[in-house]
């Protein structure tokens, strides 16, 4: 879809504006924050010049250092023309990791406490459409003739999830506003197709979209304005976060209604597996855990297990297989199956530690389970970054029974901690875990346990296989050591993104 204009010869490296609604440690609701923190430095190491663009939540404005305004106040952002609104300003600073980050400081849109998407009542903020249209508008502004930062023009605008879906739509539909000396390439990454950003048709003009674009070959989606749909339609290239999910989202079962469009864009869609930031997720250097350890000497892991059992009030039994969950508690994570299978696991002598928050029914279910089996089940409802590390280190088995999982990061973290993942074979879980079938155990390639269909019988059978293997310590240790030496670092994925950027960036002439 690219109407590539030539870009003057410029010896500088690939300039990428990485537009994301979350970035660890500033603001995090899930894996996108981890990706946004680790991928830009990996791209910079691969020769790119990446800058972030983030919404100006209080935690972002407070967390960036050396903040300076860039250019004049922004006067035409969607959603900022309310009476009494403070003017919006673009600023630039540095993340705690030293990456340069622009921040859209628009108090009318982002100066609110708590969760970035939900109000205190647990419901979406009523102006989420304007809040993220403004972020996309701001990103598109970098391409305009009077570019938002005249000293830095990106070659590529790379947006993440529905919150940034309008970026390529603005470039395409508003040349009056965003045409510039050259048109940057556009990439949209789908981290989870289930979240689509669907808003009322009546918002078209408030969002700065021409009414003619309200059609199936445009931003219209099931009678409304679809932000992710727009991204999928107008972006030069699309990526998602694992090869298997790239196939799955072209099917009715996983495509959430976008499968038809994605199938027509199959040539433009790539699955690039996420990586792990081993500066943060490595038991050899992790400051949060009771004792440090590595693949060569797993001794410290026993201490971590004892620490975890004590923290969760579980029986201090070194020989009890301890399974763990660290997750958002939502339907697609499949944790209702864990609730159902738990009694059987406990009957086999297993223990369970759960950290998560989300849907009230699942929270209540896990609380109830812990009351029922106080010595075998421990549950923390909430969000606790440090505890999530201690769980990774202290557990034997890490459960990710997702109904769908675009990539999933926690199972890759678990591998590094020698905590064998038990996963459903879907999305990135299928791509990262090798099932301990007899052949794979014998040839040493197994790293965890998989089950195929999302039902309690299959989960229970996988738990049974795990419990049986746990009783063969030599085989279990061999599998742990193999799991710990798998390399899911960001280097490879960063190279794949670089190749994609080269394919969409404006052509260099001169
Ligand atoms: P998703 O993005 O779908 O939630 P991922 O596996 O990609 O799934 O990423 C989840 C991230 O959020 C991981 O870093 C995980 O450790 C973290 N996480 C999830 N729930 C919690 C929690 N309750 N407390 C601390 N960290 C959590
Ligand atoms: C989404 C997905 C998860 C993925 C993460 C980072 O939240 O649900 O599977 O790992 O994004 O890409």
């Amino acid at each position: 879809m690219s109407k590539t204009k030539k870009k003057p010869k410029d010896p500088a490296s690939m300039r990428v504006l990485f537009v994301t609604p979350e970035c660890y440690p500033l603001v995090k609701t899930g894996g996108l924050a981890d990706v946004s923190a680790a991928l830009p430095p990996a791209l910079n190491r691969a020769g790119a010049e990446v800058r972030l663009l983030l919404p100006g939540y209080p935690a972002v404005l407070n967390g960036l250092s050396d903040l300076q305004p860039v250019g004049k106040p922004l006067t035409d952002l969607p959603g900022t023309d309310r009476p009494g609104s403070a003017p919006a300003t673009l600023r630039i600073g540095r993340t705690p990791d030293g990456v340069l980050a622009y921040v859209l400081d628009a108090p009318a849109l982002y100066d609110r406490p708590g969760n970035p998407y939900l109000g205190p009542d647990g419901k979406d903020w009523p102006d989420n459409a304007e809040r993220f249209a403004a972020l996309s508008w701001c990103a598109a502004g970098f391409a305009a003739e009077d570019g938002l930062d005249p000293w830095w023009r990106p070659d590529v605008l790379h947006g993440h999830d529905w919150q940034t879906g309008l970026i390529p739509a603005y470039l395409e539909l508003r040349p009056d506003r965003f045409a510039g000396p050259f048109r940057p390439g556009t990439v949209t990454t789908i981290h989870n197709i289930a979240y689509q950003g669907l808003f009322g048709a009546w918002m078209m003009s408030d969002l700065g979209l021409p009414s003619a674009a309200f059609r199936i070959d445009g931003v219209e989606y099931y009678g409304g304005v679809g932000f992710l749909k727009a991204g999928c339609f107008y972006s030069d290239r699309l990526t998602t976060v694992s090869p298997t999910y790239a196939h799955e989202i072209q099917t009715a079962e996983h495509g959430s209604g976008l499968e038809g469009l994605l199938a027509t864009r199959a040539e433009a869609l790539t699955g690039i597996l996420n990586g792990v930031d081993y500066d943060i997720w490595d038991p050899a250097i992790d400051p949060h855990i009771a004792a440090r350890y590595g693949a060569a000497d797993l001794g410290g892991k026993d201490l971590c297990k004892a620490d975890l059992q004590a923290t969760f009030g579980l029986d201090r039994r070194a020989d009890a297989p301890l399974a763990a969950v660290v997750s958002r508690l939502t339907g697609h994570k499949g944790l209702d199956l864990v609730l159902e299978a738990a009694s059987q696991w406990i009957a086999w002598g297993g223990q369970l530690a759960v950290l998560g928050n989300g849907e009230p029914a699942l929270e209540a279910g896990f609380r109830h389970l812990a009351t029922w089996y106080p010595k075998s089940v421990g549950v923390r409802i909430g969000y606790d970054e440090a505890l999530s590390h201690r769980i990774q280190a202290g557990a034997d088995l890490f459960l990710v029974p997702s109904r769908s999982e675009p990539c999933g990061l926690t199972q890759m973290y678990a591998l590094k901690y020698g905590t064998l993942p038990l996963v459903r074979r879907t999305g990135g879980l299928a791509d990262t875990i090798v099932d301990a079938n007899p052949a794979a155990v014998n040839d040493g390639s197994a790293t965890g346990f998989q089950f195929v269909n999302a039902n309690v019988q299959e989960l229970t059978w996988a738990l049974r296989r795990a419990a049986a293997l746990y009783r063969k310590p030599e085989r279990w240790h061999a599998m742990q050591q193999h799991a710990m030496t798998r390399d899911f670092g960001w280097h490879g994925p960063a190279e794949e993104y670089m190749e994609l950027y080269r394919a969409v960036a404006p052509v260099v002439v001169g």
Side-chain angles (χ1 to χ4, degrees):
M1 306 235 158
S2 165
K3 287 186 198 146
T4 305
K5 285 187 193 171
K6 305 260 175 183
K7 177 190 174 225
K9 194 172 176 66
D10 178 356
S13 55
M14 180 74 65
R15 292 178 169 180
V16 181
L17 186 67
F18 192 102
V19 191
T20 176
E22 299 187 18
C23 185
Y24 176 83
L26 305 170
V27 52
K28 169 167 170 175
T29 70
L32 173 55
D34 292 7
V35 172
S36 301
L39 177 54
L43 290 166
N44 287 340
R45 287 193 292 275
E49 191 187 321
V50 181
R51 296 187 181 184
L52 295 164
L53 171 61
L54 297 163
Y57 312 121
V60 171
L61 288 165
N62 294 332
L64 295 178
S65 53
D66 306 329
L67 264 187
Q68 311 284 338
V70 179
K72 296 187 289 247
L74 305 171
T75 51
D76 64 350
L77 288 172
T80 51
D81 53 359
R82 287 169 217 157
S85 292
T89 316
L90 185 68
R91 302 184 190 280
I92 192 166
R94 275 191 197 274
T95 67
D97 291 335
V99 175
L100 279 172
Y102 295 100
V103 53
L104 176 55
D105 181 5
L109 301 175
Y110 309 122
D111 186 10
R112 305 169 193 184
N115 184 292
Y117 315 116
L118 311 175
D121 57 0
K123 297 197 177 123
D124 288 353
W125 291 111
D127 57 350
N128 271 352
E130 292 101 321
R131 296 173 77 222
F132 295 104
L135 184 68
S136 300
W137 185 275
C138 179
F142 278 79
E145 192 66 48
D146 54 345
L148 278 186
D149 185 341
W151 302 106
W152 197 82
R153 280 187 180 280
D155 300 301
V156 178
L157 302 178
H158 184 175
H160 296 266
D161 274 349
W162 70 264
Q163 293 90 334
T164 63
L166 290 186
I167 298 172
Y170 285 139
L171 287 194
E172 187 79 16
L173 300 170
R174 294 295 308 269
D176 57 309
R177 182 64 190 75
F178 297 118
F182 62 89
R183 180 197 181 284
T186 51
V187 178
T188 296
T189 295
I190 302 166
H191 291 265
N192 194 332
I193 205 157
Y195 301 100
Q196 300 202 337
L198 183 60
F199 302 101
W202 52 270
M203 300 202 70
M204 286 290 286
S205 72
D206 291 348
L207 300 177
L209 293 166
S211 55
F214 192 74
R215 55 173 202 273
I216 195 157
D217 287 337
V219 302
E220 188 275 338
Y221 189 62
Y222 289 99
V225 182
F227 279 30
L228 187 61
K229 189 279 171 101
C232 291
F233 187 78
Y234 289 107
S235 246
D236 296 333
R237 297 292 285 264
L238 303 170
T239 74
T240 188
V241 287
S242 69
T244 294
Y245 196 62
H247 289 292
E248 288 176 344
I249 57 179
Q250 296 175 53
T251 67
E253 189 189 347
H254 290 284
S256 301
L258 283 170
E259 60 274 9
L261 171 58
L262 290 172
T264 66
R265 301 223 59 208
E267 294 291 307
L269 170 64
T270 325
I272 302 178
L273 201 63
N274 285 333
V276 175
D277 185 343
Y278 290 122
D279 288 340
I280 295 180
W281 298 99
D282 179 351
I285 54 170
D286 191 329
H288 300 293
I289 64 180
R292 275 163 276 289
Y293 62 92
D297 179 5
L298 276 149
K301 191 164 173 64
D302 297 338
L303 296 174
C304 292
K305 179 168 177 177
D307 167 65
L308 189 59
Q309 287 172 322
T311 303
F312 277 85
L314 305 176
D315 278 337
R316 296 280 288 271
R317 282 176 30 224
D319 64 338
L322 172 48
V325 170
V326 177
S327 181
R328 293 183 293 120
L329 302 181
T330 60
H332 87 90
K333 294 287 183 186
L335 295 166
D336 49 307
L337 301 176
V338 173
L339 280 175
E340 279 190 76
S343 314
Q344 183 63 72
W345 175 247
I346 292 154
W348 289 328
Q351 299 182 331
L352 179 65
V354 177
L355 168 64
N357 58 3
E359 288 171 14
L362 285 168
E363 291 187 355
F366 279 109
R367 277 206 184 97
H368 197 70
L369 194 69
T371 322
W372 206 253
Y373 300 107
K375 298 289 175 203
S376 303
V377 178
V379 171
R380 287 280 189 289
I381 299 300
Y383 190 93
D384 187 334
E385 197 74 31
L387 184 58
S388 75
H389 286 245
R390 289 167 62 202
I391 292 175
Q392 288 280 4
D396 298 302
L397 197 63
F398 198 89
L399 309 183
V400 195
S402 306
R403 290 197 165 76
S404 75
E405 194 61 75
C407 180
L409 296 170
T410 54
Q411 84 281 7
M412 293 193 274
Y413 302 160
L415 289 174
K416 187 70 182 173
Y417 285 76
T419 304
L420 299 183
L422 187 158
V423 304
R424 185 164 165 258
R425 186 181 301 166
T426 185
L429 301 173
D431 293 339
T432 52
I433 305 303
V434 178
D435 179 62
N437 58 51
V441 172
N442 284 332
D443 72 17
S445 60
T447 55
F449 305 87
Q450 291 191 350
F451 64 104
V452 178
N453 293 300
N455 61 52
V456 68
Q457 289 80 9
E458 291 205 20
L459 170 60
T460 308
W461 177 243
L463 285 167
R464 191 186 161 99
R465 290 197 293 131
L469 207 84
Y470 185 76
R471 305 284 170 220
K472 296 179 181 149
E474 268 176 36
R475 292 205 149 189
W476 187 270
H477 282 141
M479 226 166 116
Q480 282 181 304
Q481 276 169 328
H482 181 58
M484 292 174 83
T485 53
R486 296 301 76 208
D487 181 4
F488 285 104
W490 273 107
H491 174 73
E495 291 295 339
E496 289 184 65
Y497 281 107
M498 289 299 283
E499 204 179 309
L500 196 73
Y501 295 156
R502 284 190 280 270
V504 299
V507 179
V508 177
V509 292

